[in-house]
Coordinates of all heavy atoms in Angstrom, one line a residue:
M14 N 53.9 -33.4 87.3 CA 52.7 -34.3 87.2 C 51.7 -33.8 86.2 O 51.2 -34.6 85.4 CB 52.0 -34.3 88.6 CG 52.5 -35.4 89.5 SD 51.6 -35.4 91.0 CE 51.2 -37.1 91.2
V15 N 51.5 -32.5 86.2 CA 50.6 -31.9 85.1 C 51.2 -32.1 83.8 O 50.6 -32.5 82.8 CB 50.4 -30.4 85.4 CG1 49.6 -29.8 84.3 CG2 49.7 -30.2 86.7
R16 N 52.6 -32.0 83.7 CA 53.3 -32.2 82.4 C 53.1 -33.6 81.9 O 52.8 -33.9 80.8 CB 54.8 -32.0 82.6 CG 55.3 -30.9 81.8 CD 56.8 -30.6 82.2 NE 56.9 -29.8 83.3 CZ 56.8 -28.4 83.2 NH1 56.7 -27.8 82.0 NH2 56.9 -27.7 84.3
M17 N 53.2 -34.6 82.9 CA 53.1 -36.0 82.5 C 51.7 -36.3 82.0 O 51.5 -37.0 81.0 CB 53.4 -36.8 83.8 CG 53.8 -38.2 83.5 SD 53.9 -39.2 85.1 CE 55.3 -38.4 85.9
Y18 N 50.7 -35.7 82.7 CA 49.3 -35.9 82.4 C 49.1 -35.3 81.0 O 48.4 -35.9 80.1 CB 48.5 -35.2 83.4 CG 47.0 -35.0 83.1 CD1 46.2 -36.1 83.3 CD2 46.5 -33.8 82.6 CE1 44.8 -36.0 83.0 CE2 45.1 -33.7 82.3 CZ 44.3 -34.8 82.5 OH 43.0 -34.7 82.3
C19 N 49.5 -34.1 80.7 CA 49.3 -33.4 79.5 C 49.9 -34.2 78.3 O 49.3 -34.4 77.3 CB 49.8 -32.0 79.5 SG 49.3 -31.0 78.1
R20 N 51.1 -34.7 78.5 CA 51.8 -35.4 77.4 C 51.0 -36.7 77.1 O 50.8 -37.1 76.0 CB 53.2 -35.8 77.8 CG 54.1 -35.6 76.7 CD 55.6 -36.0 77.0 NE 55.9 -36.3 78.3 CZ 56.8 -35.7 79.0 NH1 57.4 -34.6 78.6 NH2 57.1 -36.1 80.2
G21 N 50.5 -37.3 78.2 CA 49.8 -38.6 78.0 C 48.4 -38.4 77.5 O 48.0 -39.2 76.6
I22 N 47.7 -37.4 78.0 CA 46.3 -37.3 77.6 C 46.1 -36.4 76.5 O 45.3 -36.6 75.5 CB 45.5 -36.8 78.9 CG1 45.6 -37.7 80.0 CG2 44.0 -36.5 78.5 CD1 44.8 -39.1 79.8
H23 N 46.8 -35.2 76.5 CA 46.6 -34.2 75.4 C 47.6 -34.4 74.3 O 47.4 -33.8 73.2 CB 46.6 -32.8 76.0 CG 45.6 -32.6 77.1 ND1 45.9 -31.9 78.2 CD2 44.3 -33.1 77.2 CE1 44.8 -31.9 79.0 NE2 43.8 -32.6 78.4
G24 N 48.6 -35.2 74.5 CA 49.5 -35.6 73.4 C 50.5 -34.6 72.9 O 51.3 -34.9 72.0
G25 N 50.6 -33.4 73.5 CA 51.5 -32.4 73.1 C 52.9 -32.5 73.7 O 53.0 -33.1 74.8
R26 N 53.9 -32.0 73.1 CA 55.2 -32.0 73.7 C 55.3 -31.0 74.8 O 55.9 -31.2 75.8 CB 56.3 -31.6 72.7 CG 56.7 -32.7 71.8 CD 57.8 -32.3 70.8 NE 59.1 -32.1 71.5 CZ 60.0 -33.1 71.5 NH1 59.8 -34.2 70.9 NH2 61.1 -32.9 72.1
N27 N 54.6 -29.8 74.6 CA 54.6 -28.8 75.7 C 53.2 -28.8 76.3 O 52.3 -29.3 75.7 CB 54.9 -27.5 75.0 CG 56.3 -27.4 74.4 OD1 57.2 -27.8 75.1 ND2 56.4 -27.0 73.2
L28 N 53.2 -28.1 77.4 CA 51.9 -28.0 78.1 C 50.9 -27.3 77.3 O 51.2 -26.2 76.7 CB 52.1 -27.2 79.4 CG 52.6 -28.0 80.6 CD1 52.8 -27.1 81.8 CD2 51.7 -29.1 81.0
C29 N 49.7 -27.8 77.2 CA 48.6 -27.0 76.5 C 48.1 -25.9 77.4 O 48.5 -25.9 78.6 CB 47.5 -28.0 76.0 SG 46.6 -28.6 77.4
E30 N 47.3 -25.0 76.8 CA 46.9 -23.9 77.6 C 46.2 -24.2 78.8 O 46.4 -23.6 79.9 CB 46.0 -23.0 76.7 CG 46.2 -21.5 77.0 CD 45.5 -20.7 75.9 OE1 45.8 -20.8 74.7 OE2 44.6 -20.0 76.2
D31 N 45.3 -25.2 78.7 CA 44.5 -25.6 79.9 C 45.4 -26.1 81.0 O 45.2 -25.8 82.2 CB 43.5 -26.8 79.5 CG 42.2 -26.3 78.9 OD1 42.1 -25.0 78.8 OD2 41.4 -27.1 78.5
C32 N 46.3 -26.9 80.7 CA 47.2 -27.5 81.7 C 48.1 -26.5 82.3 O 48.5 -26.5 83.4 CB 48.0 -28.7 81.1 SG 47.0 -30.1 80.7
R33 N 48.5 -25.5 81.4 CA 49.4 -24.4 81.9 C 48.6 -23.6 83.0 O 49.1 -23.2 84.0 CB 49.8 -23.5 80.8 CG 51.1 -22.8 81.1 CD 51.8 -22.3 79.9 NE 50.9 -21.8 78.9 CZ 51.0 -22.0 77.6 NH1 52.0 -22.8 77.1 NH2 50.2 -21.5 76.7
D34 N 47.3 -23.3 82.6 CA 46.5 -22.6 83.6 C 46.4 -23.4 84.9 O 46.5 -22.8 86.0 CB 45.0 -22.5 83.0 CG 44.9 -21.3 82.1 OD1 45.9 -20.6 81.9 OD2 43.8 -21.2 81.6
L35 N 46.2 -24.7 84.8 CA 46.0 -25.5 86.0 C 47.3 -25.4 86.8 O 47.2 -25.3 88.1 CB 45.7 -26.9 85.6 CG 45.4 -27.9 86.7 CD1 44.2 -27.5 87.5 CD2 45.2 -29.3 86.1
L36 N 48.4 -25.5 86.2 CA 49.7 -25.5 86.9 C 49.9 -24.2 87.6 O 50.3 -24.2 88.8 CB 50.8 -25.8 85.9 CG 52.2 -26.1 86.5 CD1 52.2 -27.4 87.3 CD2 53.2 -26.2 85.4
H37 N 49.7 -23.1 86.9 CA 49.8 -21.8 87.5 C 48.9 -21.6 88.6 O 49.2 -21.0 89.7 CB 49.6 -20.7 86.4 CG 50.7 -20.6 85.5 ND1 50.7 -19.9 84.3 CD2 52.0 -21.1 85.5 CE1 51.8 -20.0 83.7 NE2 52.6 -20.8 84.4
Y38 N 47.7 -22.1 88.4 CA 46.7 -22.0 89.5 C 47.1 -22.7 90.7 O 47.1 -22.2 91.8 CB 45.4 -22.6 89.0 CG 44.2 -22.5 89.9 CD1 43.4 -21.4 90.0 CD2 43.9 -23.6 90.7 CE1 42.4 -21.3 90.9 CE2 42.9 -23.6 91.6 CZ 42.1 -22.4 91.7 OH 41.0 -22.4 92.6
S39 N 47.7 -23.9 90.5 CA 48.1 -24.7 91.7 C 49.3 -24.1 92.4 O 49.5 -24.1 93.6 CB 48.4 -26.2 91.3 OG 49.6 -26.2 90.5
E40 N 50.2 -23.5 91.6 CA 51.3 -22.8 92.2 C 50.9 -21.6 93.0 O 51.4 -21.3 94.1 CB 52.3 -22.3 91.1 CG 53.2 -23.5 90.6 CD 53.9 -23.2 89.3 OE1 53.7 -22.1 88.8 OE2 54.7 -24.0 88.9
R41 N 49.9 -20.9 92.5 CA 49.4 -19.7 93.2 C 48.8 -20.2 94.5 O 49.0 -19.5 95.5 CB 48.4 -19.0 92.3 CG 48.9 -17.8 91.7 CD 47.8 -16.8 91.3 NE 46.6 -17.4 90.8 CZ 46.4 -17.7 89.5 NH1 47.3 -17.5 88.6 NH2 45.2 -18.3 89.1
K42 N 48.0 -21.3 94.4 CA 47.4 -21.7 95.6 C 48.4 -22.2 96.7 O 48.2 -22.1 97.9 CB 46.4 -22.9 95.2 CG 45.2 -22.4 94.6 CD 44.3 -21.6 95.5 CE 43.1 -21.1 94.8 NZ 42.3 -20.2 95.7
L43 N 49.4 -22.9 96.2 CA 50.5 -23.4 97.1 C 51.2 -22.2 97.8 O 51.5 -22.3 99.0 CB 51.5 -24.2 96.3 CG 52.3 -25.2 97.1 CD1 51.5 -26.2 97.8 CD2 53.3 -25.9 96.2
D44 N 51.3 -21.1 97.1 CA 51.9 -19.9 97.7 C 51.1 -19.4 98.9 O 51.6 -19.0 99.9 CB 52.0 -18.8 96.7 CG 53.3 -18.9 95.9 OD1 54.2 -19.7 96.2 OD2 53.5 -18.1 94.9
G45 N 49.8 -19.5 98.7 CA 48.9 -19.1 99.8 C 48.6 -20.1 100.8 O 47.8 -19.9 101.7
C46 N 49.1 -21.3 100.6 CA 48.8 -22.4 101.5 C 49.4 -22.2 102.9 O 50.6 -22.0 102.9 CB 49.2 -23.7 100.9 SG 48.8 -25.2 101.9
P47 N 48.7 -22.3 103.9 CA 49.2 -22.2 105.3 C 50.2 -23.3 105.7 O 51.0 -23.1 106.6 CB 48.0 -22.2 106.2 CG 46.9 -22.8 105.4 CD 47.2 -22.6 104.0
F48 N 50.2 -24.4 105.0 CA 51.0 -25.5 105.3 C 52.3 -25.5 104.6 O 53.3 -26.2 105.0 CB 50.3 -26.8 105.1 CG 49.0 -27.0 105.9 CD1 47.8 -26.9 105.3 CD2 49.1 -27.1 107.3 CE1 46.6 -27.0 106.1 CE2 48.0 -27.2 108.1 CZ 46.7 -27.1 107.4
K49 N 52.3 -24.8 103.4 CA 53.5 -24.7 102.6 C 54.2 -26.1 102.4 O 53.6 -27.0 102.0 CB 54.5 -23.7 103.2 CG 54.0 -22.3 103.1 CD 54.5 -21.6 101.8 CE 53.8 -20.3 101.8 NZ 54.4 -19.3 100.9
D50 N 55.5 -26.1 102.8 CA 56.4 -27.3 102.5 C 55.9 -28.5 103.3 O 56.2 -29.7 103.0 CB 57.8 -27.0 102.8 CG 58.4 -26.0 101.7 OD1 57.7 -25.9 100.7 OD2 59.4 -25.4 102.0
S51 N 55.4 -28.3 104.5 CA 55.0 -29.4 105.3 C 53.6 -30.0 104.9 O 53.1 -30.9 105.5 CB 55.0 -29.0 106.8 OG 54.0 -28.0 107.0
K52 N 53.1 -29.4 103.9 CA 51.8 -29.8 103.4 C 51.9 -31.3 102.9 O 52.8 -31.7 102.2 CB 51.5 -29.0 102.2 CG 50.1 -29.2 101.5 CD 50.0 -28.2 100.4 CE 48.7 -28.5 99.6 NZ 47.5 -28.4 100.4
P53 N 51.0 -32.1 103.3 CA 51.0 -33.5 102.9 C 50.7 -33.6 101.4 O 51.5 -33.3 100.6 CB 50.0 -34.2 103.8 CG 49.2 -33.1 104.4 CD 49.8 -31.8 104.2
T54 N 49.5 -33.9 101.0 CA 49.0 -33.8 99.7 C 47.7 -33.1 99.7 O 47.1 -33.1 100.8 CB 48.8 -35.2 99.0 OG1 47.8 -35.9 99.7 CG2 50.1 -36.0 99.0
C55 N 47.3 -32.6 98.6 CA 46.0 -31.9 98.6 C 44.8 -32.7 99.0 O 43.9 -32.3 99.6 CB 45.8 -31.2 97.3 SG 46.7 -29.7 97.0
A56 N 44.9 -34.0 98.7 CA 43.9 -34.9 99.1 C 43.7 -35.0 100.6 O 42.6 -35.2 101.1 CB 44.1 -36.3 98.5
K57 N 44.8 -34.9 101.3 CA 44.8 -35.0 102.8 C 44.7 -33.6 103.4 O 44.5 -33.5 104.6 CB 46.0 -35.7 103.3 CG 46.1 -37.2 103.0 CD 47.4 -37.7 103.5 CE 47.6 -39.2 102.9 NZ 49.0 -39.5 102.9
C58 N 44.9 -32.6 102.6 CA 44.9 -31.2 103.2 C 43.6 -30.8 103.8 O 42.5 -31.1 103.2 CB 45.3 -30.2 102.1 SG 45.6 -28.6 102.7
S59 N 43.7 -30.2 105.0 CA 42.4 -29.9 105.6 C 41.8 -28.6 105.1 O 40.6 -28.3 105.2 CB 42.7 -29.7 107.1 OG 43.7 -28.8 107.4
V60 N 42.7 -27.8 104.4 CA 42.1 -26.6 103.8 C 41.9 -26.8 102.3 O 42.8 -27.0 101.5 CB 43.1 -25.4 103.9 CG1 42.6 -24.2 103.3 CG2 43.4 -25.1 105.4
H61 N 40.7 -26.9 101.9 CA 40.4 -27.1 100.5 C 40.3 -25.8 99.8 O 39.3 -25.2 99.7 CB 39.1 -27.9 100.4 CG 39.2 -29.3 100.9 ND1 40.0 -30.2 100.4 CD2 38.7 -29.9 102.0 CE1 40.0 -31.4 101.1 NE2 39.2 -31.2 102.1
C62 N 41.5 -25.5 99.3 CA 41.6 -24.1 98.7 C 41.2 -24.1 97.3 O 41.1 -23.0 96.7 CB 43.0 -23.6 98.9 SG 44.3 -24.7 98.3
Y63 N 41.1 -25.2 96.6 CA 40.8 -25.2 95.2 C 39.4 -25.0 94.9 O 38.5 -25.5 95.7 CB 41.2 -26.5 94.5 CG 42.7 -26.7 94.3 CD1 43.6 -26.4 95.2 CD2 43.1 -27.2 93.0 CE1 45.0 -26.6 94.9 CE2 44.4 -27.4 92.7 CZ 45.4 -27.1 93.7 OH 46.7 -27.2 93.4
E64 N 39.1 -24.2 93.9 CA 37.7 -24.1 93.4 C 37.3 -25.5 92.9 O 38.1 -26.3 92.4 CB 37.6 -23.1 92.3 CG 37.6 -21.7 92.7 CD 38.0 -20.8 91.5 OE1 37.6 -21.1 90.4 OE2 38.7 -19.8 91.8
A65 N 36.0 -25.7 93.0 CA 35.5 -27.1 92.6 C 35.9 -27.5 91.2 O 36.3 -28.7 91.0 CB 33.9 -27.1 92.7
S66 N 35.9 -26.6 90.2 CA 36.2 -27.0 88.9 C 37.7 -27.4 88.8 O 38.1 -28.3 88.1 CB 35.8 -25.9 87.9 OG 36.6 -24.8 88.1
M67 N 38.5 -26.6 89.4 CA 40.0 -26.8 89.4 C 40.3 -28.1 90.2 O 41.2 -28.8 89.8 CB 40.7 -25.6 90.0 CG 40.8 -24.4 89.1 SD 41.6 -24.8 87.5 CE 42.1 -23.2 86.9
R68 N 39.6 -28.3 91.2 CA 39.8 -29.5 92.0 C 39.5 -30.7 91.2 O 40.3 -31.7 91.3 CB 39.0 -29.5 93.3 CG 39.5 -30.4 94.3 CD 39.0 -30.0 95.7 NE 37.6 -30.0 95.9 CZ 36.9 -29.1 96.5 NH1 37.5 -28.1 97.1 NH2 35.6 -29.2 96.6
A69 N 38.5 -30.7 90.5 CA 38.1 -31.8 89.6 C 39.2 -32.1 88.6 O 39.6 -33.2 88.3 CB 36.8 -31.6 88.9
R70 N 39.7 -31.0 88.0 CA 40.8 -31.2 87.0 C 42.0 -31.7 87.6 O 42.7 -32.6 87.1 CB 41.1 -29.8 86.3 CG 40.1 -29.5 85.2 CD 40.1 -28.1 84.9 NE 41.3 -27.7 84.2 CZ 41.5 -26.5 83.7 NH1 40.6 -25.5 83.9 NH2 42.6 -26.2 83.1
M71 N 42.4 -31.2 88.8 CA 43.6 -31.6 89.5 C 43.4 -33.1 89.9 O 44.4 -33.9 89.8 CB 43.8 -30.8 90.7 CG 45.2 -30.9 91.3 SD 46.5 -30.9 90.0 CE 47.3 -29.3 90.3
R72 N 42.2 -33.5 90.2 CA 42.0 -34.9 90.6 C 42.3 -35.8 89.5 O 42.9 -36.9 89.6 CB 40.6 -35.1 91.1 CG 40.6 -35.7 92.5 CD 39.3 -36.3 92.9 NE 38.1 -35.5 92.5 CZ 37.4 -34.7 93.2 NH1 37.7 -34.6 94.5 NH2 36.3 -34.1 92.8
S73 N 41.9 -35.4 88.3 CA 42.1 -36.3 87.1 C 43.6 -36.4 86.8 O 44.1 -37.4 86.3 CB 41.2 -36.0 85.9 OG 41.3 -34.6 85.7
V74 N 44.3 -35.2 87.0 CA 45.7 -35.2 86.8 C 46.4 -36.2 87.8 O 47.2 -37.0 87.4 CB 46.3 -33.8 87.0 CG1 47.8 -33.9 87.1 CG2 45.9 -32.9 85.9
M75 N 46.0 -36.2 89.1 CA 46.5 -37.0 90.1 C 46.2 -38.5 89.8 O 47.1 -39.4 90.0 CB 46.0 -36.7 91.5 CG 46.3 -35.4 92.0 SD 48.1 -35.2 92.2 CE 48.2 -33.4 92.5
R76 N 45.0 -38.7 89.3 CA 44.6 -40.1 89.0 C 45.5 -40.7 87.9 O 45.9 -41.8 87.9 CB 43.2 -40.2 88.6 CG 42.4 -41.3 89.3 CD 41.0 -41.5 88.9 NE 40.4 -40.5 88.1 CZ 39.4 -39.7 88.5 NH1 38.9 -39.9 89.7 NH2 38.9 -38.8 87.7
Y77 N 45.8 -39.8 86.9 CA 46.6 -40.3 85.8 C 48.1 -40.4 86.2 O 48.7 -41.4 86.0 CB 46.5 -39.3 84.6 CG 47.3 -39.7 83.5 CD1 46.9 -40.6 82.5 CD2 48.6 -39.1 83.3 CE1 47.7 -41.0 81.5 CE2 49.4 -39.5 82.3 CZ 49.0 -40.4 81.3 OH 49.8 -40.8 80.3
S78 N 48.6 -39.4 86.8 CA 50.1 -39.3 87.1 C 50.5 -40.0 88.3 O 51.6 -40.5 88.4 CB 50.5 -37.8 87.2 OG 50.2 -37.1 86.0
G79 N 49.6 -40.2 89.3 CA 50.0 -40.8 90.5 C 50.6 -42.2 90.4 O 51.8 -42.3 90.8
P80 N 49.9 -43.1 89.8 CA 50.5 -44.5 89.6 C 51.8 -44.5 88.8 O 52.7 -45.2 89.0 CB 49.4 -45.2 88.9 CG 48.2 -44.4 89.1 CD 48.6 -43.0 89.3
R81 N 51.8 -43.6 87.8 CA 53.0 -43.5 86.9 C 54.2 -43.0 87.7 O 55.3 -43.4 87.5 CB 52.7 -42.7 85.7 CG 51.9 -43.4 84.7 CD 51.3 -42.5 83.7 NE 50.4 -43.3 82.7 CZ 49.2 -43.7 83.0 NH1 48.7 -43.4 84.2 NH2 48.5 -44.4 82.2
M82 N 54.0 -42.0 88.5 CA 55.1 -41.4 89.4 C 55.6 -42.5 90.2 O 56.8 -42.7 90.4 CB 54.5 -40.3 90.3 CG 54.4 -39.0 89.6 SD 55.7 -37.9 90.1 CE 55.4 -37.6 91.8
F83 N 54.7 -43.3 90.8 CA 55.0 -44.3 91.7 C 56.0 -45.4 91.0 O 56.9 -45.8 91.6 CB 53.7 -45.0 92.1 CG 53.9 -46.1 93.2 CD1 53.9 -45.7 94.5 CD2 53.9 -47.4 92.9 CE1 54.1 -46.6 95.5 CE2 54.0 -48.3 93.9 CZ 54.1 -47.9 95.2
I84 N 55.7 -45.7 89.8 CA 56.5 -46.7 89.1 C 57.8 -46.1 88.6 O 58.8 -46.7 88.7 CB 55.7 -47.2 87.8 CG1 54.5 -48.1 88.3 CG2 56.6 -48.0 86.9 CD1 53.4 -48.3 87.3
R85 N 57.8 -44.8 88.3 CA 59.0 -44.2 87.8 C 60.0 -43.9 88.9 O 61.2 -43.8 88.7 CB 58.6 -42.9 87.1 CG 58.1 -43.1 85.7 CD 57.5 -41.8 85.2 NE 58.5 -40.9 84.8 CZ 58.6 -40.3 83.6 NH1 57.7 -40.6 82.7 NH2 59.5 -39.4 83.3
H86 N 59.5 -43.6 90.1 CA 60.4 -43.3 91.2 C 61.2 -44.5 91.5 O 60.7 -45.5 91.8 CB 59.5 -42.9 92.4 CG 60.3 -42.2 93.4 ND1 61.2 -42.8 94.2 CD2 60.3 -40.9 93.8 CE1 61.8 -41.9 95.0 NE2 61.3 -40.7 94.8
P87 N 62.6 -44.3 91.4 CA 63.5 -45.5 91.5 C 63.3 -46.2 92.8 O 63.3 -47.5 92.8 CB 64.9 -44.9 91.4 CG 64.7 -43.4 91.3 CD 63.3 -43.1 91.0
V88 N 63.3 -45.5 93.9 CA 63.2 -46.2 95.2 C 61.9 -47.0 95.3 O 61.9 -48.2 95.7 CB 63.3 -45.2 96.4 CG1 63.1 -45.9 97.7 CG2 64.7 -44.5 96.4
L89 N 60.9 -46.4 95.0 CA 59.6 -47.1 95.0 C 59.5 -48.2 94.0 O 58.9 -49.2 94.2 CB 58.5 -46.1 94.8 CG 58.2 -45.1 95.9 CD1 57.1 -44.1 95.5 CD2 57.8 -45.8 97.2
A90 N 60.2 -48.0 92.9 CA 60.3 -49.1 91.8 C 60.9 -50.3 92.4 O 60.5 -51.4 92.1 CB 61.0 -48.6 90.6
I91 N 62.0 -50.1 93.2 CA 62.7 -51.3 93.8 C 61.8 -52.0 94.8 O 61.7 -53.2 94.8 CB 64.0 -50.8 94.5 CG1 65.0 -50.4 93.4 CG2 64.6 -51.9 95.3 CD1 66.2 -49.6 93.9
A92 N 61.1 -51.2 95.5 CA 60.1 -51.8 96.5 C 59.1 -52.5 95.8 O 58.6 -53.6 96.2 CB 59.5 -50.6 97.3
H93 N 58.7 -52.0 94.6 CA 57.7 -52.6 93.8 C 58.1 -54.0 93.3 O 57.4 -54.9 93.4 CB 57.5 -51.7 92.6 CG 56.3 -52.0 91.8 ND1 55.0 -51.8 92.2 CD2 56.1 -52.6 90.6 CE1 54.1 -52.2 91.3 NE2 54.8 -52.7 90.3
V94 N 59.4 -54.1 92.9 CA 60.0 -55.4 92.4 C 60.1 -56.4 93.5 O 59.6 -57.5 93.4 CB 61.3 -55.2 91.7 CG1 62.0 -56.5 91.4 CG2 61.2 -54.4 90.4
S95 N 60.7 -55.9 94.7 CA 60.8 -56.9 95.8 C 59.5 -57.3 96.3 O 59.3 -58.4 96.9 CB 61.7 -56.3 96.9 OG 61.2 -55.1 97.3
D96 N 58.6 -56.4 96.2 CA 57.2 -56.6 96.5 C 56.7 -57.9 95.8 O 56.1 -58.8 96.4 CB 56.4 -55.4 96.1 CG 55.0 -55.4 96.8 OD1 54.9 -55.6 98.0 OD2 54.0 -55.2 96.0
R97 N 56.9 -57.9 94.5 CA 56.5 -59.0 93.7 C 57.2 -60.3 94.1 O 56.6 -61.4 94.1 CB 56.7 -58.7 92.2 CG 55.3 -58.6 91.5 CD 55.5 -58.4 90.1 NE 56.2 -57.1 89.8 CZ 56.6 -56.7 88.6 NH1 56.4 -57.5 87.6 NH2 57.2 -55.6 88.4
R98 N 58.5 -60.2 94.4 CA 59.3 -61.4 94.7 C 58.8 -62.0 96.0 O 58.8 -63.2 96.2 CB 60.8 -61.0 94.9 CG 61.5 -61.4 93.6 CD 63.0 -61.2 93.8 NE 63.6 -60.6 92.7 CZ 64.5 -59.6 92.7 NH1 65.0 -59.3 93.9 NH2 65.0 -59.1 91.6
A99 N 58.5 -61.1 97.0 CA 58.1 -61.6 98.3 C 56.8 -62.3 98.3 O 56.4 -63.0 99.1 CB 58.1 -60.4 99.3
K100 N 56.0 -62.0 97.2 CA 54.7 -62.5 97.0 C 53.7 -62.2 98.1 O 52.6 -62.6 98.2 CB 54.7 -64.0 96.9 CG 55.2 -64.5 95.5 CD 55.2 -66.0 95.4 CE 55.9 -66.4 94.1 NZ 56.4 -67.7 94.1
S101 N 54.2 -61.4 99.1 CA 53.3 -60.9 100.2 C 53.5 -59.5 100.4 O 54.5 -59.0 101.1 CB 53.6 -61.7 101.5 OG 53.0 -61.1 102.6
P102 N 52.7 -58.7 99.8 CA 52.8 -57.2 99.9 C 52.9 -56.7 101.3 O 53.5 -55.8 101.6 CB 51.6 -56.7 99.2 CG 51.0 -57.8 98.4 CD 51.5 -59.1 99.1
G103 N 52.2 -57.4 102.2 CA 52.1 -57.0 103.6 C 53.5 -57.0 104.2 O 53.8 -56.1 105.0
K104 N 54.4 -57.9 103.8 CA 55.7 -57.9 104.4 C 56.5 -56.7 104.1 O 57.2 -56.1 104.9 CB 56.5 -59.1 103.9 CG 56.3 -60.4 104.7 CD 57.2 -61.5 104.2 CE 56.7 -62.8 104.7 NZ 57.2 -63.9 103.9
V105 N 56.4 -56.3 102.8 CA 57.2 -55.1 102.4 C 56.7 -53.8 103.1 O 57.5 -53.0 103.5 CB 57.1 -55.0 100.9 CG1 57.8 -53.7 100.4 CG2 57.7 -56.2 100.2
W106 N 55.4 -53.7 103.1 CA 54.9 -52.4 103.6 C 54.6 -52.5 105.2 O 54.2 -51.5 105.8 CB 53.6 -52.0 102.9 CG 53.8 -51.8 101.4 CD1 53.5 -52.7 100.5 CD2 54.6 -50.8 100.8 NE1 53.9 -52.2 99.3 CE2 54.6 -51.1 99.5 CE3 55.2 -49.6 101.3 CZ2 55.2 -50.2 98.5 CZ3 55.8 -48.8 100.4 CH2 55.8 -49.1 99.0
G107 N 54.9 -53.6 105.8 CA 54.7 -53.7 107.2 C 53.2 -53.6 107.6 O 52.9 -53.1 108.7
I108 N 52.4 -54.1 106.8 CA 50.9 -54.1 107.2 C 50.4 -55.6 107.2 O 50.9 -56.4 106.6 CB 50.0 -53.3 106.3 CG1 50.5 -53.3 104.8 CG2 50.0 -51.9 106.8 CD1 49.6 -52.6 103.8
Ligands
LIG22 ZN1 47.1 -30.5 78.5

């Protein structure tokens, strides 16, 4: 996700220094996270382990990459298409 963000926003082929820092930071934090693999997403996580500045940066990464991941993910992409065909999003998501 950070990679996607960096390519899109910072334009480089490889991760820039800032984004590399952010990625390493998030990996370190995940290592220390009490929820580990069963962790939902950081937005829902009850332990706010990120420092404020890093959290703000991660939030903009999520905002940028989130919708793009959603579209790129094949299963969700199919749901996305049938969603449009059904003309009623509620039917697809059961809400
Ligand atoms: Zn970057």
Side-chain angles (χ1 to χ4, degrees):
M14 272 179 130
V15 176
R16 239 174 279 276
M17 204 188 290
Y18 171 80
C19 189
R20 224 184 351 244
I22 300 290
H23 303 142
R26 279 182 76 95
N27 298 309
L28 279 179
C29 68
E30 213 169 302
D31 275 1
C32 292
R33 205 161 39 221
D34 274 359
L35 183 62
L36 191 64
H37 286 167
Y38 182 84
S39 72
E40 279 166 359
R41 259 203 318 276
K42 285 297 180 185
L43 200 61
D44 273 352
C46 180
F48 300 109
K49 292 266 176 160
D50 292 339
S51 62
K52 184 177 172 60
T54 61
C55 282
K57 288 178 192 158
C58 187
S59 53
V60 180
H61 293 294
C62 54
Y63 281 47
E64 282 161 36
S66 65
M67 284 302 200
R68 197 157 61 221
R70 278 163 70 180
M71 195 45 109
R72 234 197 322 258
S73 46
V74 169
M75 294 297 168
R76 226 187 345 246
Y77 177 85
S78 302
R81 284 164 181 79
M82 277 259 292
F83 188 79
I84 289 162
R85 281 165 75 126
H86 197 287
V88 175
L89 289 176
I91 290 162
H93 193 71
V94 172
S95 57
D96 193 49
R97 246 183 295 172
R98 257 187 228 142
K100 282 180 190 162
S101 165
K104 270 184 199 164
V105 175
W106 299 107
I108 34 173

